[in-house]
Amino acid sequence: MNRANFVCGAIGVAVGGGAYFRTSDFPADVVMKIGPAFFPSMLAGGLMLSSAALMVIAAMEAAQPAAPDAEAEPFRLSLGDGRVRAVVTTLAVLAFTLVLVPLGFIPTSVIFLLAMMALLGVRRPLLMAATSVGVTLGIWLIFEKLLVLTLPAGILESVLY
Amino acid sequence: MELLLHSFGNVFHPSVMLIIAMGVAIGITIGALPGLTATMGVALLVPLTFGRPPLESLAMLLGLYCGAMYGGSIAAILVRTPGTPAAAATVLEGYPIAQRGEAGRALSMALFASFSGGLTGALIMTFMSPVISDVALEFSTVEYFALAVFGLSVIVSISGKSIVKGLMAGFFGLLISTIGADPISGFPRFIFGQMDLFEGPPFIPTLIGLFAVSEVLANVQITRATQRVLAAVDRFFPSKADLKASWKAICRGSVLGSFIGAIPGAGGDIAAFVSYGETKRTSKHPEKFGTGVIEGVAASECANNACSGGAMIPLLSLGVPGDAVTAVLLGAFVIQGLQPGPLLYKEHIDIVYNVFASMIVANFAVLIIGALGIRLFAKVILVRKAILMPSILVLSIVGAYAMRRDVFDVYFMLGFGVFGYFMQKYDFPLSPILLALILGPMAEANLRRSLVVSGGDFGIILTRPIAVALLVLAVGSLIAGFYNHRKIARRLAEQERTGRDVPDE
């Protein structure tokens, strides 16, 4: 059995089933035969059917041989493991979003870039500083001055405006 | 005629030409970077078009599109890694030529062939799409519904390795497209009390999440250093001998690429392989292919660039995107308040002419900027991922935030980034979601409007010949998609059995 595909199919069935269940609360339209529930319930049915098909195919498939890539390697809880770096990157974007408005775009972006470059193995402080400040200011100038789209100033509000 | 000349004149304005040149330069850079696709580039640049006039915005994005199609060949030739999937066929001959120390010869041919193909595609688009749109001007809501169904039938063709997974992605995208207020009654669906979702899922954050953030999450897992560039770049234009050897391949590939591009679901990668295959089949020395034959580079590069013009035909005339890049471009049109399709020809013919002119200018810009910056773009491959990936993330966050100044959109982008990453990891195609997000609301709204007119009678669909024809075409497209999928699977299995390299799709 292809376990990954089987699980993906099961998730699809669950999502489709949940959406289908949800549409039962939508009001019916007596004039046009189809109301707000018609399309979503039909699509939820399609998602469930195609997901069930994937589950059946996965169940009939032979087990997949272990891929000779990182996935086959034992998991290590260190930044040397690519999967850990991906999780840390996701958390870093989450942290960026959380502090974007209170701290402001410029300080948040500089700190984020420094941290991310360190995470990905850059060990030259001058290069890191120049890149993080340069990229941040470049993006800020494009959005603020060229496109006139205001980015959160945060703690630098009195300095910038 | 006067409007045509006026619209072309607008594009030839220095500021617009500069914007096209910028788009081309960014496109070549993005295309040259393995892992970054034209789709991702256009998705990243869309937020930069907020508040800009349609002409400037579309000119920049079209410039990027054309530039990226050529840029993919640089990494393909120099480091055996196609910068974009469309350049996969270029690796087969381009890399062996570079290995012989003639990288400049391969790059110059790739540039010239890209220009020739791109220009042919743009000209074919200019003359063909108005003809198709004339027919489409007769459309009512019923035909628009059928057109959306036809567009959605492409999902099978762009499903990648598994049609079932493509269908799952398509249904999931369609389901997401129903989030927000019902188009007829205004009843809020699936918003779970979150008013940010009342207007539907935010398009740009979804786009950036699926195509940019997911790529970054995959790329941060591999931090190995960039590859060594094989040989110095010493030539900007092909020699007379190479042109003489390749002109037939260029002519054939340009026409083939334009027509393959116009078929929804068939992208630059397919066009390049078909053109390469034809050139090899008709060659006097097919046995030499694979060892570094210049016609092979010409055939694949002109076809994948011609494809960009061809892919614009269904987008402009019918509002149906042919591939992932044109699906993102469709989003860019919508952001500008323009709906590609027959009405665009009726209400905004000036914009259509602008698009024609921009594509033509963009291809000249590819030739000039490509020649001037060939050495610089070759160096782009050396940019460390450790610097590039965080920068892309910052640009993605800002792009998602800027339009509504709402951090909810950034969370939404991140959610779709993680979702897109897992989808790619488990071989689910991303493009069907995007196609569904765009065409889903069009299908639902038009069907329900039709039913308002008919008093709830579904039979109205069968009373309109064009709608029936489009639905038959949709069924045909589905069958062709299934057939092509089986054919490609058989070919890949055969290549695997014979032990030959199977290029990435």
Side-chain angles (χ1 to χ4, degrees):
Chain A
M1 182 170 81
N2 184 331
R3 198 182 296 171
N5 280 354
F6 190 83
V7 172
C8 289
I11 293 171
V13 170
V15 172
Y20 191 86
F21 176 72
R22 188 85 188 168
T23 57
S24 58
D25 292 341
F26 295 175
D29 195 315
V30 287
V31 182
M32 290 175 290
K33 288 186 185 173
I34 67 169
F38 178 79
F39 255 77
S41 55
M42 193 179 70
L43 300 170
L47 179 60
M48 281 194 284
L49 271 177
S50 51
S51 303
L54 184 66
M55 287 175 77
V56 171
I57 293 167
M60 292 193 306
E61 264 178 355
Q64 295 293 299
D69 60 5
E71 207 176 341
E73 290 172 10
F75 179 76
R76 288 175 296 131
L77 193 60
S78 88
L79 294 177
D81 191 300
R83 287 159 290 188
V84 174
R85 280 198 301 274
V87 172
V88 174
T89 302
T90 308
L91 293 174
V93 176
L94 198 61
F96 190 122
T97 316
L98 280 169
V99 301
L100 176 63
V101 175
L103 197 60
F105 169 70
I106 293 176
T108 310
S109 172
V110 170
I111 295 166
F112 174 83
L113 286 167
L114 284 171
M116 281 301 298
M117 279 188 271
L119 171 73
L120 299 179
V122 182
R123 294 289 177 266
R124 290 163 60 191
L126 202 64
L127 174 73
M128 290 165 76
T131 308
S132 54
V133 172
V135 169
T136 300
L137 287 181
I139 292 175
W140 185 81
L141 283 170
I142 290 171
F143 276 82
E144 285 272 347
K145 303 297 171 193
L146 194 68
L147 304 173
V148 205
L149 291 166
T150 315
L151 296 175
I155 55 171
L156 295 180
E157 179 126 29
S158 56
V159 182
L160 296 174
Y161 304 109
Chain B
M1 192 63 190
E2 197 180 319
L3 186 63
L4 177 79
L5 291 174
H6 179 69
S7 300
F8 269 64
N10 285 344
V11 173
F12 287 98
H13 191 273
S15 66
V16 179
M17 302 244 295
L18 187 69
I19 283 169
I20 293 176
M22 267 171 57
V24 167
I26 296 170
I28 297 176
T29 310
I30 286 174
L33 288 164
L36 305 191
T37 59
T39 315
M40 182 192 188
V42 177
L44 273 175
L45 232 70
V46 166
L48 296 184
T49 64
F50 297 158
R52 309 298 302 174
L55 170 58
E56 291 179 14
S57 306
L58 296 173
M60 182 161 74
L61 296 175
L62 291 169
L64 188 146
Y65 184 20
C66 296
M69 293 303 275
Y70 156 67
S73 67
I74 297 174
I77 291 166
L78 294 177
V79 293
R80 206 190 180 206
T81 309
T84 56
T90 311
V91 173
L92 302 176
E93 304 300 329
Y95 184 72
I97 294 175
Q99 269 184 316
R100 294 201 300 258
E102 298 175 305
R105 184 177 167 223
L107 281 171
S108 59
M109 178 52 80
L111 177 62
F112 183 77
S114 296
F115 164 72
S116 310
L119 193 63
T120 309
L123 289 172
I124 289 178
M125 170 192 79
T126 304
F127 292 108
M128 268 192 67
S129 51
V131 180
I132 298 170
S133 83
D134 273 350
V135 179
L137 272 173
E138 303 298 317
F139 284 15
S140 70
T141 51
V142 183
E143 281 83 7
Y144 274 112
F145 162 71
L147 184 60
V149 173
F150 172 57
L152 288 168
S153 70
V154 170
I155 284 175
V156 170
S157 304
I158 57 173
S159 285
K161 290 176 189 164
S162 163
I163 289 179
V164 175
K165 287 181 175 178
L167 288 174
M168 271 178 78
F171 279 120
F172 181 72
L174 285 167
L175 200 54
I176 296 172
S177 76
T178 64
I179 291 175
D182 172 53
I184 303 294
S185 67
F187 178 80
R189 300 184 295 193
F190 305 119
I191 68 168
F192 304 101
Q194 183 60 256
M195 288 315 285
D196 284 300
L197 289 173
F198 191 77
E199 290 172 18
F203 185 72
I204 295 295
T206 311
L207 190 81
I208 297 174
L210 279 177
F211 290 95
V213 177
S214 64
E215 282 289 339
V216 174
L217 291 178
N219 272 294
V220 293
Q221 299 192 40
I222 311 151
T223 53
R224 67 169 183 266
T226 47
Q227 298 174 63
R228 189 172 58 91
V229 171
L230 267 177
V233 179
D234 52 1
R235 182 186 278 273
F236 305 121
F237 286 103
S239 65
K240 272 186 187 170
D242 282 350
L243 281 177
K244 199 177 164 191
S246 307
W247 73 270
K248 277 184 191 165
I250 292 174
C251 293
R252 184 172 40 236
S254 300
V255 177
L256 266 176
S258 303
F259 284 98
I260 290 173
I263 302 167
D269 43 357
I270 297 173
F273 276 110
V274 170
S275 171
Y276 176 81
E278 276 302 301
T279 302
K280 184 179 174 183
R281 195 179 63 79
T282 54
S283 170
K284 286 175 188 163
H285 44 78
E287 72 289 349
K288 285 186 182 167
F289 276 68
T291 61
V293 177
I294 200 74
E295 298 101 286
V297 176
S300 52
E301 273 308 302
C302 65
N304 68 31
N305 283 271
C307 208
S308 52
M312 293 298 288
I313 296 172
L315 176 71
L316 286 174
S317 55
L318 299 173
V320 175
D323 57 11
V325 193
T326 41
V328 180
L329 279 173
L330 174 57
F333 273 89
V334 173
I335 287 167
Q336 292 291 334
L338 304 164
Q339 182 67 49
L343 281 182
L344 190 70
Y345 284 78
K346 203 173 181 181
E347 293 166 0
H348 299 285
I349 188 70
D350 53 327
I351 298 288
V352 177
Y353 291 150
N354 286 339
V355 170
F356 294 161
S358 299
M359 287 287 280
I360 292 167
V361 172
N363 281 293
F364 279 99
V366 167
L367 184 68
I368 296 164
I369 296 171
L372 292 176
I374 210 159
R375 283 203 179 105
L376 180 70
F377 293 125
K379 281 186 182 155
V380 162
I381 303 166
L382 302 175
V383 174
R384 286 182 67 175
K385 275 186 181 174
I387 292 171
L388 192 65
M389 294 302 144
S391 307
I392 289 175
L393 276 179
V394 174
L395 194 58
S396 300
I397 293 169
V398 174
Y401 173 84
M403 194 166 184
R404 298 201 298 183
R405 299 196 68 216
D406 190 347
V407 283
F408 173 83
D409 288 355
V410 188
Y411 290 123
F412 203 85
M413 174 207 76
L414 182 60
F416 267 89
V418 174
F419 179 67
Y421 164 74
F422 279 108
M423 281 190 71
Q424 282 185 308
K425 189 175 167 73
Y426 293 107
D427 284 333
F428 281 85
L430 296 176
S431 312
I433 295 188
L434 198 59
L435 204 61
L437 276 175
I438 295 167
L439 295 176
M442 179 176 160
E444 182 180 13
N446 283 296
L447 175 64
R448 292 182 59 192
R449 279 183 201 128
S450 306
L451 291 175
V452 171
V453 175
S454 71
D457 180 11
F458 280 93
I460 189 172
I461 297 166
L462 302 174
T463 62
R464 309 279 301 189
I466 296 178
V468 173
L470 282 167
L471 290 174
V472 170
L473 272 177
V475 174
S477 162
L478 279 173
I479 294 167
F482 279 109
Y483 174 75
N484 281 338
H485 188 267
R486 285 189 61 177
K487 207 164 101 179
I488 289 168
R490 261 206 312 270
R491 195 177 295 169
L492 285 176
E494 198 177 306
Q495 279 178 330
E496 225 163 70
R497 251 200 329 274
T498 53
R500 279 190 54 203
D501 269 359
V502 181
D504 294 338
E505 289 223 15

